[in-house]
Amino acid sequence: QVQLVESGGGLVQPGGSLTLSCTAPGFSLDNVAVGWVRQAPGKEREGVSCISGGDPTILYKDSVKGRFTISRDNAKKTVYLQMNSLKPEDTAVYYCAIDTLCHPILNPTLYDIDYWGKGTLVTVSS
């Protein structure tokens, strides 16, 4: 069983920044897609960003383009999500996810994703 451990969530004011981390101890991230899915209160889960395995392709949800940056450190078995210019509508529980491809991660309501973390809460509020 793959364990994913997220950290870095918290309360931040609008316009602020946070960096989320997801570590997968004992699991190689080299050839898998890793990404972030979020779920706001009362809303469906939505894919936020994903970075594919191998020669990576990086994808973002339109509403976070230019504000969020995903990156991975395979040696540390960790993926990051740098979030800048945060907005109240970014408030959600953010989940780390692993799958063979990015498509399921970016469309979490349509597919069963292979592995999930337990999530970390991000609250954007003044």
Side-chain angles (χ1 to χ4, degrees), residues 37-47 61 92-93 108-110:
V37 174
R38 69 186 182 187
Q39 186 167 22
K43 295 188 178 180
E44 290 186 330
R45 289 180 175 178
E46 58 181 11
K61 176 180 173 61
V93 177
T109 61
L110 301 179

Side-chain angles (χ1 to χ4, degrees), residues 12-30:
V12 63
Q13 292 186 341
S17 298
L18 281 175
T19 299
L20 306 183
S21 300
C22 171
T23 301
F27 184 80
S28 173
L29 299 181
D30 291 8

Side-chain angles (χ1 to χ4, degrees), residues 26 36 48 50 55-57 61 78 83 87 102 104 106 109-110 124:
W36 295 89
V48 175
C50 184
D55 186 14
T57 298
K61 176 180 173 61
T78 300
M83 305 185 294
K87 304 175 181 180
C102 277
L106 296 176
T109 61
L110 301 179
V124 185

Side-chain angles (χ1 to χ4, degrees), residues 8-84:
L11 173 63
V12 63
Q13 292 186 341
S17 298
L18 281 175
T19 299
L20 306 183
S21 300
C22 171
T23 301
F27 184 80
S28 173
L29 299 181
D30 291 8
N31 296 302
V32 295
V34 189
W36 295 89
V37 174
R38 69 186 182 187
Q39 186 167 22
K43 295 188 178 180
E44 290 186 330
R45 289 180 175 178
E46 58 181 11
V48 175
S49 182
C50 184
I51 181 168
S52 65
D55 186 14
T57 298
I58 294 177
L59 300 168
Y60 296 99
K61 176 180 173 61
D62 285 347
S63 63
V64 307
K65 286 179 181 177
R67 300 190 297 122
F68 290 11
T69 302
I70 191 170
S71 61
R72 63 196 293 165
D73 185 331
N74 289 345
K76 294 183 177 179
K77 304 183 189 298
T78 300
V79 62
Y80 305 95
L81 186 68
Q82 172 69 43
M83 305 185 294
N84 298 325

Side-chain angles (χ1 to χ4, degrees), residues 82-104:
Q82 172 69 43
M83 305 185 294
N84 298 325
S85 302
L86 282 162
K87 304 175 181 180
E89 52 263 42
D90 295 317
T91 295
V93 177
Y94 284 71
Y95 299 90
C96 181
I98 288 178
D99 207 294
T100 305
L101 301 172
C102 277
H103 190 69

